[in-house]
Each structure stands twice: as structure tokens, then as C-alpha cells.
Amino acid sequence: MTSPSPRPRSRRALDHSLIVLGAGALATGLTVLTLAPGISAASSHREAPLIAGDPRADNTDVYAFTSPDRADTVTLIANWIPFEEPNGGPNFYQFADDARYHIKIDNTGDGNADTTYTWRFRTTVRDAAGQFLYNTGPVTSLNDPDLNIRQFYDLTVTTARGTSTLLRSVPVAPSHVGRASMPDYGVLRSQALRRLPGGGKAFAGQAEDPFFADLRVFDLLYGGDLSERGQDTLAGYNVNSVALQIPKRALALRGNVARNPVVGVWSTTERGGVEVSSSRAAKPSGWKQVSRLGNPLVNEVVVPLKYKDAFNTLNPSQDRTVQPVVDKVLDPILPKLIQKVYGVPAPATPRNDLAEIYLTGICKVCGPIKADLNAHRLNKDAPLRKIVPAEELRLNMAVPPTAAPQRLGVLAGDLAGFPNGRRLTDDVIDISLQAVEGAAQTGELVPALAEGDKVDTNEVPFGRSFPYLGLPHSTSVNAGPSGSSGQQSAMTHSNAAFIGGAGALLLGAGGLRLRRRRHTAG
């Protein structure tokens, strides 16, 4: 990408400038918070106060990429429940039966879902009165009678034509209790894969957490001591995942990938809301969105504390109306903090390059980044007057998968990587750090931040076929190389990649959400 000379933007709907946005949606979001005690209304990765207390509704990451082994399909992955300790029994990790989990697709650019995939889970217990165990013997299949606690899900898809059921009562891959209980977890994973009508595949179950980063950056950017970088905070932990492999034609506007290759992707969780009347009688008030995730690290690092909970109750179509949040995209907090701690000059504001990356998508007429990559404007059949700035993970499905993916994605010349969608191997911490410091606009990496957080890869390799996720860990995170209880060395990455100081946190600027903080087990 080359550095453009400033020039006025002449777009129509997109040029409903970000600066004149009102605060109407913010008020709407705050209103949603009037729920009964115990009902959270916040967002993912413990980045907002309320969701930190509701891990089963807490989105951690969203991924969207052209499938490397099936280039006519897109793989969509969404994860929940941060920091699952592998040996966290006797009550292991399950999706919530009283929640709805969604992956949403916007192919017109209006910030609304045109296609929504929804999972509903239900839990069954074979012996609730006479057992405390998750399993009563070695489990060799998903219908093994020794698997005492099982989950099943229904998967539906909603479009303008209505809602249809794709799968019904499909078993979930269970939590990996350990080698004695589940001697060949790979068999259980393979049994949890399902084919979808019309093509594609589905999966739901536990997986190794694919996110890699040194999250100690929240300790005041390592306190200015760069020697503290390099440990993967997420190494050894698991998450609960849903994954889909969908034919591209099912996602594209009018089913035409050649004319309309760009889609926006995000995930949400909903819980049943409760209203309390003046007579103190509680009654159901319908489903309420309590968690939302598109681009990584947006809510953690960009959104001020005051607005985090409200922001995550909003639909992307409302984002542009929340002026305090838009202000922090155009004038982000993180570069100023980096400058204060490490002396790296903050780029000049307003940061229209970050607004382009996170709110409009990248195109030559969209802003200062001179490339046509993943803006909805590139869809020939998209109505320009309806396109609005919205925080979504945007993917150009016409970009083919890369034979040798580069961890820095687009910044390394690999157009199939983040911020064009997000692959499992994309180092979003380092990419985001460079973006917040202006690299996407100048076309040059910032040398002072070249090492990033020194965590460049995941601690285990990803799979070569769907769902690509690593199998869940079964060893305690605090098990050292000789069984000691120190920080797990066997699973740390000593990789090399993060900010020459501000390590992972750096992400912030334009809308990446520095994710997950460890949840306190209750």
C-alpha cells in the first residue's frame, strides 16, 4: 500500500461523515441495560465489565477466511468462554442452554445481518441423582453410555426468505476431561463434524484456544520493561467453538461472488431479558444481545470504559451514531499511551485510515489507504445510499487463499490475511499495533515496534482440514516441564513479534479489541 496525498472524499452514503454522527444509539444501548439482576448486557473477552461475569455468553474471537483446502467455501469460526482450564472439573465447560449464539453476515453494507446462523443448545444428564462425574468411564464415542453429561444443538439460518433448520439435535464435542477419560479425543472431534444441506460443514465443541498474545501488556505496557514480553498468555487454555464451512455463493449478495465478493462478519450472544414493573413483578422481555465481536480488540482497547457495556448491545448499523466511540477511532487513546511510555510519536489525527480499516472497509475512494480490498462499495449490486460505517470483520471472498500465509497479513503483502478477514495464523496483535501507528497508511512498518509482543505463532499447529482448530488441551496450565507449579514453560511461545514495547495492548487504535482477560472461576 502506498501513502496517498490527502484529498477530499466524495462518496455518498459512506461520506455521511463519521464526524457528524449523533448519540442516539448510545442512548438506546444504555436503555437495554435496564434488566433484572443477574442478566448481563455487555460484550466479549472480559473487555466490558458486565460480560466478565458471564463467561458462557462471552465471545472471545471471530475468524472468517477462504478455506485453504476448499477455495469455493468460506470458514467462519466463533469462540466463547475465555481461559478454560483443561483440568477444571468436576464441572466442565458447556454452552448455555438459555442463550442464543449467532454468526451474522452483512453483504449489502448497511450494518444489518442479511444471513444469520443461530445455535441453540440443550444439555442432558444420564444420571443426575447418583453421579457427580462428567463421565463414568473411558469415552470412546459421542453416544458412549459413560458420557454422563451431553450437549446437543439445533442450527438454523435466517435470511430475507425466513428461517430454516439446517441441523437438529446434533451432538457437541465434549470437554476434554483427560487422557484416562477420553483416550482418543480426535475420534470424538471427527464424530462431531456434520455435513450441511446444500454443501458445507458444521462443528460445535471444545477446542484449543487459537488466539496467541502476551496480554501482560495491560500491566501498564509492561511498565516500560520490554524484557517482560514473549509469553503467550493464552497457551494451554481451551475455548468452546462453533464453526461453519459455507459455499461462498450462500454468503454473497444475490449469490454472485464475482460481482459481490465482500461480506461483513460478526458474532453475538443473546440472553432472555426480564422487565420489572412498578409492582415489582418480573416478566420476560424477549432476547437481549449481551455480547458482540467483529474485529479483534476493538472494545478492549478503543472504547472508553464508560461506553463498553452499551456499545456491545448495539447492532453495527448503529455504530456510527455513537459519537464518543467514533471519536476514539479518529483520535485513539493507545498511540498517545505508547508515546508516553516508549517515546514513539503518535500519528497525526484524525485517523481516517483507522476508520477505513474498521468502519468502512478499504477501497481507493474510501479514505487515505490507496487500495481496493474489502469495502462493501466494491460489491457491484450494493446500494451505495444504504452503505454506512459499521464495525464488522470484512472479507473479500474473491481473494484466493495464500499457499504460505504471512503472519502480518496485508501488511506483509498477503492480501488473504487480516484485516481482510482473519485467519487462525494471523498475528492480530502485531498487525493492529502497526496499524494504530500508521503502517497501513504509509506502507512501511514502524521499526521501533517491529518485535511486537514476541508471540508470533500459536503454541500448537492448526489442522489442515475443517474445522482447522487444534484439539483441546488436557494438561494443567500450571504444570511446568517437570511437574512444578510455575508458569507453564512447555506451552509458552517464545516467538518473536510484538511492539517494541507496547506489546499486545498496542492494538487498539482503530477498532481491534484486545481480548480476553482471565475470568475468575466461581
Side-chain angles (χ1 to χ4, degrees), residues 4-253:
S5 56
R7 69 186 187 90
R9 297 196 262 179
S10 59
R11 338 178 270 215
R12 287 149 60 184
L14 280 178
D15 271 337
H16 281 281
S17 116
L18 295 171
I19 316 247
V20 294
L21 307 172
L26 178 62
T28 301
L30 292 173
T31 300
V32 177
L33 298 179
T34 58
L35 305 175
I39 302 295
S40 64
S43 163
S44 72
H45 302 83
R46 294 176 52 81
E47 89 290 348
L50 287 175
I51 201 62
D54 191 5
R56 291 201 292 177
D58 187 357
N59 295 86
T60 64
D61 287 283
V62 173
Y63 301 85
F65 53 91
T66 292
S67 307
D69 55 336
R70 291 194 58 192
D72 62 336
T73 69
V74 164
T75 293
L76 306 170
I77 299 173
N79 299 330
W80 281 265
I81 312 180
F83 289 94
E84 293 182 1
E85 159 62 46
N87 296 150
N91 297 300
F92 291 90
Y93 306 98
Q94 297 161 207
F95 291 99
D97 289 358
D98 57 349
R100 300 196 300 191
Y101 299 86
H102 305 284
I103 293 180
K104 299 185 175 184
I105 312 296
D106 172 15
N107 55 34
T108 59
D110 64 357
N112 296 306
D114 299 292
T115 301
T116 299
Y117 295 95
T118 301
W119 287 258
R120 291 292 311 274
F121 294 89
R122 64 181 177 86
T123 304
T124 65
V125 182
R126 294 182 187 273
D127 184 359
Q131 277 295 342
F132 65 87
L133 291 168
Y134 187 84
N135 59 290
T136 57
V139 176
T140 58
S141 70
L142 294 184
N143 61 1
D144 194 312
D146 285 326
L147 184 56
N148 193 35
I149 298 177
R150 299 188 297 166
Q151 278 203 305
F152 301 86
Y153 69 90
D154 294 342
L155 173 62
T156 62
V157 60
T158 301
T159 66
R161 296 185 295 274
T163 299
S164 58
T165 299
L166 299 176
L167 297 173
R168 191 181 300 277
S169 296
V170 173
V172 175
S175 289
H176 194 347
V177 175
R179 295 184 183 90
S181 293
M182 297 172 180
D184 191 345
Y185 193 88
V187 169
L188 305 181
R189 158 73 65 84
S190 64
Q191 292 177 357
L193 302 181
R194 286 295 187 274
R195 295 192 177 277
L196 295 174
K201 300 176 183 178
F203 166 79
Q206 193 179 50
E208 181 270 339
D209 189 341
F211 185 70
F212 50 95
D214 189 338
L215 295 183
R216 290 173 302 153
V217 67
F218 287 107
D219 184 13
L220 297 179
L221 300 180
Y222 309 114
D225 182 359
L226 301 186
S227 68
E228 292 293 316
R229 294 170 295 153
Q231 177 171 310
D232 182 1
T233 311
L234 293 311
Y237 290 101
N238 299 323
V239 289
N240 276 24
S241 301
V242 300
L244 295 172
Q245 193 171 73
I246 302 293
K248 291 178 177 179
R249 65 180 182 278
L251 303 179
L253 177 61

Side-chain angles (χ1 to χ4, degrees), residues 420-494:
N420 183 29
R422 180 185 177 185
R423 301 168 300 195
L424 295 171
T425 55
D426 288 337
D427 191 346
V428 295
I429 292 290
D430 286 11
I431 296 170
S432 302
L433 169 62
Q434 289 288 337
V436 76
E437 291 297 320
Q441 188 168 186
T442 65
E444 300 289 337
L445 297 181
V446 179
L449 307 179
E451 287 191 321
D453 66 351
K454 288 192 173 182
V455 178
D456 295 353
T457 60
N458 197 41
E459 81 270 21
V460 298
F462 296 116
R464 296 179 179 271
S465 60
F466 180 84
Y468 309 104
L469 298 159
L471 296 178
H473 292 290
S474 61
T475 303
S476 293
V477 173
N478 66 356
S482 60
S484 63
S485 61
Q487 283 281 9
Q488 117 184 76
S489 340
M491 300 183 127
T492 61
H493 305 31
S494 135

Side-chain angles (χ1 to χ4, degrees), residues 327-333 335-336 346-354:
D327 288 344
K328 293 308 177 186
V329 174
L330 298 173
D331 187 9
I333 300 168
K336 297 174 183 177
T349 59
R351 296 299 303 279
N352 292 319
D353 57 326
L354 296 179

Side-chain angles (χ1 to χ4, degrees), residues 343-381:
V344 179
T349 59
R351 296 299 303 279
N352 292 319
D353 57 326
L354 296 179
E356 188 175 356
I357 291 172
Y358 301 116
L359 295 178
T360 68
I362 297 170
C363 72
K364 291 178 180 177
V365 299
C366 294
I369 303 174
K370 293 306 161 194
D372 283 331
L373 183 59
N374 62 354
H376 279 96
R377 281 182 64 95
L378 301 178
N379 287 345
K380 293 182 173 60
D381 297 321

